Amino acid sequence: DDSTKGSSSTTKKTTFSVIGMASADTWTRADTSSSSPDGPTSTTKEFLSTTSTTTSSLSAIFQSTEWKTLQGSDDIGGGLLPLKNAFLNASMERLCAPLEYMFPPGVTVDEEGISMPMLPTLPSKYDLQKLDIIIRQELSLADPREGGGELSMTSMVAESIVNMVKQFCQQAAGAVSGAGEDGCLTTTMSPTEALDHDLKVSSVMSALATTLRTAPENTFVVPYRPATSAQHEEAASLCQSALLPALQEIENTAKSLILTPLCRALNRRVADAIAKMHHGTYLSEGMGGAIGGDEPGT
């Protein structure tokens, strides 16, 4: 009847008015006020991080209550948490797939056909380039133009890369010779075979660190040059900050397993060499004085 139609139309109008008053993405925009001498002050909405004059940034969005509610949490669930976990699991599988072939155990066979253990085989340049490509491909998923994602995913993908680097460092630690400071140098101060191998391991880790330092800019900034985008530059900055734990993990592993034992061995050998040099100098001076004292007329 007419009364029912009237009430339903009133409900629809109320619903549309509520939706119009609080749209889904109002919290992703910043309020900007403008006023003119001849007119009243007007308030408009601008997308965050689109220009240099915006009052907020992507970082402000990520810290907002609305964003955290949308993401969900492990305690209460809800939100987009199931989709996020599925995405991260698939991303970790793709990132960790090359690690299976990075440090295979080295085995040789003697003349009698008996297998003898050797130091692990180290990754080649091709292996490291493949890992570099995979890292940039995963980061590009957060680029709307490349991967169809959202720049807010940058830190989330970077956390997966950090976890992958930790596994890489664990494998690299297992590939070190373990000779320690006593097995680094020969009696002539030359590097031993074990030290040569460990220095190659450190070179591999250094190459990965270089990849992590350059990946944010190569992914979000370089493909669009000479054009510039404030959003992409901010995403690169967020990515660099999120990858710092991975760089720290690489540095700690190289220092504790390779550089610190080598420095201790060098300090000990150099101290012994300096002591011998001083002892030889004093001995020659003493012998010269004794010979000079035996000469006639002295």
Side-chain angles (χ1 to χ4, degrees):
D1 53 3
D2 295 338
S3 61
T4 304
K5 292 181 180 179
S7 61
S8 62
S9 62
T10 303
T11 304
K12 290 181 180 179
K13 290 180 180 179
T14 304
T15 304
F16 288 137
S17 64
V18 172
I19 293 176
M21 291 172 59
S23 60
D25 64 341
T26 53
W27 56 274
T28 64
R29 305 190 181 198
D31 292 331
T32 56
S33 300
S34 60
S35 59
S36 59
D38 301 331
T41 302
S42 61
T43 302
T44 59
K45 292 280 187 178
E46 291 185 0
F47 282 108
L48 297 179
S49 298
T50 55
T51 64
S52 59
T53 59
T54 54
T55 57
S56 302
S57 63
L58 287 173
S59 302
I61 295 179
F62 302 154
Q63 299 300 324
S64 63
T65 305
E66 294 86 351
W67 182 262
K68 294 179 180 179
T69 303
L70 179 64
Q71 282 188 314
S73 62
D74 296 329
D75 298 333
I76 60 177
L80 301 178
L81 184 62
L83 293 176
K84 174 183 175 181
N85 292 337
F87 172 81
L88 292 178
N89 291 336
S91 179
M92 279 298 298
E93 289 181 2
R94 293 190 294 267
L95 286 169
C96 296
L99 300 185
E100 182 179 357
Y101 310 100
M102 283 293 176
F103 297 95
V107 178
T108 186
V109 179
D110 61 8
E111 298 178 354
E112 299 179 356
I114 301 176
S115 61
M116 301 176 58
M118 291 181 58
L119 294 173
T121 304
L122 302 183
S124 63
K125 291 184 178 179
Y126 170 78
D127 296 328
L128 296 176
Q129 290 176 356
K130 185 177 180 181
L131 189 60
D132 180 16
I133 294 173
I134 291 177
I135 290 174
R136 287 189 282 114
Q137 285 177 345
E138 292 301 314
L139 288 175
S140 66
L141 295 177
D143 190 346
R145 300 182 184 180
E146 293 292 332
E150 171 56 42
L151 293 176
S152 61
M153 299 166 52
T154 303
S155 298
M156 181 178 64
V157 177
E159 290 178 1
S160 297
I161 297 175
V162 171
N163 294 331
M164 180 274 294
V165 171
K166 291 181 179 179
Q167 296 186 25
F168 181 93
C169 290
Q170 291 177 358
Q171 295 187 8
V176 174
S177 65
E181 57 184 282
D182 295 330
C184 291
L185 303 172
T186 62
T187 55
T188 59
M189 294 285 289
S190 300
T192 61
E193 181 181 355
L195 178 59
D196 287 335
H197 174 82
D198 293 346
L199 292 178
K200 292 179 181 178
V201 174
S202 66
S203 298
V204 170
M205 300 178 71
S206 175
L208 178 58
T210 301
T211 295
L212 295 176
R213 293 189 184 97
T214 58
E217 184 175 0
N218 290 338
T219 303
F220 297 106
V221 179
V222 173
Y224 301 105
R225 286 178 177 170
T228 59
S229 170
Q231 285 182 315
H232 285 83
E233 290 180 357
E234 187 172 3
S237 178
L238 289 174
C239 185
Q240 288 177 345
S241 299
L243 291 177
L244 288 178
L247 295 173
Q248 190 64 42
E249 185 73 18
I250 293 175
E251 182 178 356
N252 293 339
T253 303
K255 280 185 177 181
S256 61
L257 298 178
I258 302 173
L259 299 181
T260 299
L262 175 59
C263 290
R264 289 176 178 174
L266 288 172
N267 288 336
R268 189 173 60 185
R269 294 297 181 88
V270 169
D272 293 342
I274 292 176
K276 290 180 180 180
M277 291 170 58
H278 282 286
H279 180 72
T281 301
Y282 296 147
L283 182 61
S284 61
E285 289 179 354
M287 294 179 61
I291 295 175
D294 292 339
E295 294 179 356
T298 60

